[in-house]
Amino acid sequence: MSTLTKVLIVLLTVSSIFLCGIVATYVASADNFKEMHETANGQLQRAKRDVSAANAEVNQVKSSTEQAKAALQAKIGSLESELITVRGDLDLAQTKRDQLGNDVDQLTSQLEALAVTNDKWHTMLQNAQTELTKVNAGLIKERSQNKEVTTAILEKMAIIAQLEDQVKQLVSEKEQLQVKLVQVLRQFGKTMGKSTPVTTSASTRDKAQPRLPGPSLAPVGAQVKEIGLKGVITQVDLKNSLAVISIGAAEGVKEKMKFYATRGDTFICEILILDVSAERAVGFLERVQTPPKSGDSISTSIGS
Amino acid sequence: MSPNGQAQGNNAKVPDNVYTVVLAVATCAVVAVAAFVLYMCYTQYGTIKMP
């Protein structure tokens, strides 16, 4: 065997062993592409199934979304119509609010004017109350004077009654003396002449009366003349307790004068004169016993 | 190179049987690797045919 053959044998052996080692190492460490392919294929199938399921779910979600979109569109439409209605109501409410604001302003101005008027009326009321107090004081004074006058009248009437009794006694004595005189004259055959009245006239009698202490008779007579006013009721307002009488300032009626209303012999009420015109007067009804009516008599004293 | 294996001079003499053994070892290694490759192909791909 030649040397070259031997060298080639050794080289062939070394290279064979070397290549065998490389091949064995490569094969041992090579990837299993079939298994990887199957794994990848399985993953692909699963991915396809997932895609189809996802597509179905997407379609389902799409349909549900479309339904929800349609429902929301309908709801939006109704809400828009409702919004238009609410805006109309809002405009009306704003208009009404403006009107109410104007009304409030007007009422506020009226209230202020009423407050001013109320103050004026309050002042007038205070003045009227002050005057009423003065009038009441004057009325009380006049009542006391009336009581004194009444007392004086009663005293005079008592004196007049006493004097009338004296006159009656004198008349009876006169008649007795005339009878006696007739008898005496008859004894002497004579008759009695025309007799003169024993009683004197009223003026003479007044002069003959003794003067008593108290108010004089002249003012009493004037008051009696005032008291002797008579008339009738022409209108009656029972709601306000007012009455109109047929006599006024021309007949001597004055404010705060009191009249007595009668129907026949029945007392009806009192009328306190509040306002007097020329031919009529208005008075307030007091102590109403029976509702008065037109035609009832009035006078300043009962029984006159 | 003598069958007795005696060295003549400074050159070492290797018997021829050694080379035969070396060739046999190399052949065995190639066969073993080929068998291993076939086994691996069969186990991984299920066939030993070329696609």
Side-chain angles (χ1 to χ4, degrees):
Chain A
M1 184 178 297
S2 65
T3 303
L4 183 60
T5 305
K6 292 177 181 178
V7 170
L8 287 174
I9 287 169
V10 169
L11 287 176
L12 180 65
T13 303
V14 169
S15 61
S16 297
I17 290 170
F18 180 72
L19 287 175
C20 286
I22 290 173
V23 168
T25 303
Y26 175 76
V27 170
S29 63
D31 294 330
N32 190 349
F33 290 102
K34 184 183 179 185
E35 185 179 356
M36 291 173 66
H37 169 73
E38 290 177 351
T39 304
N41 194 18
Q43 289 178 353
L44 178 63
Q45 294 299 325
R46 285 197 297 275
K48 283 183 179 177
R49 286 196 297 273
D50 292 341
V51 166
S52 61
N55 283 331
E57 190 174 355
V58 165
N59 290 328
Q60 188 176 359
V61 170
K62 268 186 182 178
S63 61
S64 62
T65 303
E66 290 294 332
Q67 291 176 356
K69 187 177 178 181
L72 287 175
Q73 288 290 344
K75 198 170 185 179
I76 286 170
S78 64
L79 286 175
E80 282 180 349
S81 62
E82 191 173 351
L83 178 63
I84 291 169
T85 306
V86 169
R87 279 182 180 167
D89 293 341
L90 179 64
D91 292 337
L92 289 175
Q94 286 178 348
T95 306
K96 190 175 285 184
R97 184 197 62 188
D98 295 337
Q99 290 177 355
L100 289 175
N102 293 329
D103 293 342
V104 167
D105 292 339
Q106 290 178 357
L107 289 175
T108 303
S109 60
Q110 289 178 359
L111 184 63
E112 290 175 354
L114 283 175
V116 173
T117 308
N118 190 18
D119 292 338
K120 289 181 181 177
W121 280 104
H122 187 66
T123 306
M124 292 173 67
L125 179 62
Q126 287 181 346
N127 294 332
Q129 284 179 347
T130 306
E131 290 182 1
L132 181 62
T133 306
K134 290 179 182 177
V135 167
N136 282 333
L139 186 62
I140 291 169
K141 188 176 179 181
E142 287 182 359
R143 281 181 180 171
S144 64
Q145 289 179 356
N146 285 337
K147 283 183 180 178
E148 291 177 357
V149 169
T150 305
T151 306
I153 290 171
L154 291 174
E155 290 176 355
K156 300 294 182 187
M157 289 178 70
I159 292 169
I160 289 170
Q162 189 177 0
L163 291 173
E164 284 180 351
D165 291 338
Q166 290 178 0
V167 167
K168 286 180 181 177
Q169 288 178 0
L170 291 173
V171 168
S172 63
E173 288 177 359
K174 175 196 165 190
E175 289 176 352
Q176 290 176 0
L177 289 174
Q178 281 181 346
V179 170
K180 286 180 181 178
L181 181 60
V182 169
Q183 289 175 356
V184 170
L185 290 175
R186 280 180 183 171
Q187 289 175 0
F188 294 100
K190 293 182 179 178
T191 58
M192 190 180 70
K194 188 177 181 181
S195 62
T196 58
V198 175
T199 58
T200 58
S201 63
S203 61
T204 309
R205 190 171 59 207
D206 289 339
K207 289 178 182 175
Q209 287 179 350
R211 294 190 66 80
L212 296 173
S216 63
L217 288 176
V220 172
Q223 288 181 3
V224 169
K225 187 177 180 181
E226 283 183 1
I227 291 170
L229 296 173
K230 290 183 180 179
V232 294
I233 296 174
T234 57
Q235 290 180 356
V236 176
D237 184 5
L238 291 174
K239 188 177 180 181
N240 296 316
S241 297
L242 295 174
V244 181
I245 61 174
S246 61
I247 54 178
E251 284 81 9
V253 178
K254 296 178 181 177
E255 290 185 4
K256 299 169 188 172
M257 188 176 281
K258 187 173 284 187
F259 284 84
Y260 300 98
T262 55
R263 189 181 302 154
D265 294 334
T266 307
F267 172 75
I268 295 175
C269 65
E270 292 180 359
I271 300 173
L272 178 63
I273 301 301
L274 300 174
D275 186 24
V276 181
S277 62
E279 295 181 351
R280 65 174 192 168
V282 179
F284 185 72
L285 301 176
E286 293 180 336
R287 299 182 186 175
V288 177
Q289 304 294 324
T290 305
K293 61 183 181 180
S294 299
D296 289 340
S297 301
I298 57 160
S299 66
T300 53
S301 61
I302 296 176
S304 61
Chain B
M1 182 180 300
S2 65
N4 295 328
Q6 295 177 351
Q8 296 177 353
N10 291 330
N11 293 329
K13 296 287 186 177
V14 178
D16 294 336
N17 294 333
V18 173
Y19 296 100
T20 305
V21 170
V22 168
L23 282 175
V25 168
T27 305
C28 288
V30 169
V31 171
V33 167
F36 175 70
V37 169
L38 290 175
Y39 171 74
M40 289 300 290
C41 286
Y42 185 77
T43 54
Q44 289 186 1
Y45 301 105
T47 181
I48 57 174
K49 291 190 297 183
M50 292 297 287

